[in-house]
Amino acid sequence: MLPKYLFYLAFGTFLLSGCGLETDEDSDEESDSVTSVQMEVEQNAYLPLTNATTLFYTANEASPGDIEGAVSYDVGMSNSKGYPVYKVGINSDDLNLDLYFRTTSSQIEFLGMDGPVAVSDDASFDFLRFDTPIKLIGERSNQSTGASAKLESDEGSLSNAALTLEYDVTNSNTATFQSFDWTTLKLPTLQSTLTAEISVSAPGLTVGPFPVTLNFFFAKGLGLVQHSGDVTEVAGNEYEIKFYGLENLPNIVAFTNDGATVEGSLTYFSIAEASGNATIESSDYEIVNRSALNDLGWLNITQPNSGEYAVEINTSSLELPETLTSVQVLFENRVNSGERLSANLTLLP
């Protein structure tokens, strides 16, 4: 079991244990007045989210890394829901989209999205919030939930429209992810596909149903590596983004099963910073699941005198995987107890 993230709410302000004071001035919900709430949350290995970190994406090879996916802890929505909620703010010249998630040890929950998102030539949604979060892990069919959103259409507009969402969720672990600038490296993924129809009915206004298909590809220890949306009746995705790089998070470490590094990977863990890579020093961070990782038999993470965490592949191990394999490496700050960073370590056959 992964060590727990502890969250504290005191005097109306959420304090994320170890991640410092979490703030999000753009929160879309008002904070409730709460004096004492303690919640324990284990994040999912497929969607580890840390406040004030960034994943960069690209929509095409011509503009690599031009789409920013900024992760922030949403104080207002967390306060309203009673559990931690994170926003992934996807921003570029051509795409502005906020995705809201709850991540637990066994589940990834999708709470809503901001756009606006055009679902036809004459209608668009914004501030879409589901009454019941949509669970993205596990097969689900013929599900229904209410929702609210801001609606603009040729027939009129509603600032808080009541919607009905009929949906299915399917999962697959057969797809691999490869960034366009990788020649060898691939990551195994968990693919979750949300297929839905959105209907709106209000006095004097009936809109829809609109077909919507959202695809999420998650990589263990890294998070959302690919996302696309088919939100109109026109065939094909209206948008698609793919992982390109990261900031304030550990770099991917990758080997082949003969012990060679892949795509210029380092043999130790480092954090990608705006100014370059910074070694993760063992005096600053502890690998909280290091024993479990070394117990795999084929992986050896050591702490040499230099202070870095060195990685070796035991090529003679009988447990050496013969298929593409990723594991999560979980760091905790020794000074700011509880501050967590998650890394992806991948072994190619």
Side-chain angles (χ1 to χ4, degrees), residues 71 92 222 230 349:
V71 177
S92 71
L222 183 58
D230 181 358

Side-chain angles (χ1 to χ4, degrees), residues 29-335:
E29 297 189 27
E30 294 295 329
S31 296
D32 297 330
S33 178
V34 181
T35 57
S36 180
V37 174
Q38 177 174 324
M39 293 168 290
E40 297 182 345
V41 175
E42 299 171 2
Q43 291 197 344
N44 198 283
Y46 281 102
L47 189 61
L49 295 172
T50 300
N51 185 60
T53 59
T54 303
L55 271 66
F56 294 99
Y57 300 92
T58 187
N60 57 71
E61 297 182 15
S63 303
D66 65 330
I67 302 173
E68 180 181 275
V71 177
S72 60
Y73 179 73
D74 194 288
V75 175
M77 192 180 292
S78 298
N79 198 347
S80 174
K81 295 293 186 182
Y83 50 73
V85 176
Y86 285 84
K87 177 176 75 174
V88 179
I90 298 170
N91 182 48
S92 71
D93 291 341
D94 300 320
L95 180 64
N96 289 282
L97 189 67
D98 294 335
L99 305 174
Y100 294 88
F101 295 102
R102 179 190 186 191
T103 172
T104 70
S105 60
S106 60
Q107 192 54 255
I108 297 171
E109 296 183 359
F110 183 39
L111 282 75
M113 60 194 300
D114 297 341
V117 178
V119 290
S120 70
D121 291 338
D122 58 1
S124 65
F125 290 106
D126 204 352
F127 307 109
L128 177 63
R129 299 291 182 271
F130 308 124
D131 293 348
T132 302
I134 295 175
K135 296 179 179 180
L136 296 179
I137 296 180
E139 303 280 331
R140 291 172 176 80
S141 59
N142 300 318
Q143 301 293 299
S144 179
T145 183
S148 61
K150 179 180 179 182
L151 172 67
E152 298 285 347
S153 77
D154 287 350
E155 294 188 30
S157 63
L158 291 172
S159 60
N160 192 26
L163 289 69
T164 301
L165 197 79
E166 307 288 340
Y167 69 92
D168 299 333
V169 174
T170 59
N171 287 174
S172 173
N173 59 6
T174 59
T176 59
F177 172 79
Q178 186 169 35
S179 180
F180 80 89
D181 61 334
W182 295 348
T183 57
T184 304
L185 179 59
K186 295 180 180 180
L187 303 179
T189 67
L190 169 66
Q191 178 183 358
S192 182
T193 301
L194 169 63
T195 305
E197 282 196 345
I198 300 176
S199 300
V200 183
S201 182
L205 179 65
T206 300
V207 183
F210 299 108
V212 173
T213 300
L214 301 178
N215 272 296
F216 303 88
F217 294 81
F218 303 103
K220 190 173 290 186
L222 183 58
L224 184 65
V225 292
Q226 185 173 338
H227 172 56
S228 63
D230 181 358
V231 295
T232 71
E233 293 181 346
V234 178
N237 294 322
E238 274 62 53
Y239 67 88
E240 182 174 34
I241 59 172
K242 296 183 178 182
F243 170 78
Y244 179 78
L246 38 72
E247 186 172 295
N248 297 329
L249 288 168
N251 288 301
I252 297 170
V253 174
F255 293 85
T256 58
N257 61 7
D258 62 0
T261 57
V262 177
E263 303 285 357
S265 169
L266 300 172
T267 58
Y268 57 90
F269 292 102
S270 62
I271 294 178
E273 298 180 343
S275 58
N277 295 328
T279 301
I280 298 179
E281 300 286 349
S282 57
S283 58
D284 296 327
Y285 284 90
E286 173 189 9
I287 298 179
V288 295
N289 61 338
R290 179 178 163 194
S291 294
L293 292 171
N294 285 341
D295 286 345
L296 294 173
W298 56 268
L299 179 60
N300 189 26
I301 300 176
T302 60
Q303 185 179 331
N305 294 332
S306 62
E308 67 192 25
Y309 285 107
V311 184
E312 293 180 329
I313 302 301
N314 182 1
T315 58
S316 62
S317 171
L318 297 178
E319 306 299 327
L320 191 68
E322 297 181 353
T323 58
L324 183 65
T325 301
S326 284
V327 296
Q328 180 189 37
V329 182
L330 192 59
F331 295 88
E332 180 173 312
N333 193 305
R334 295 183 186 274
V335 178

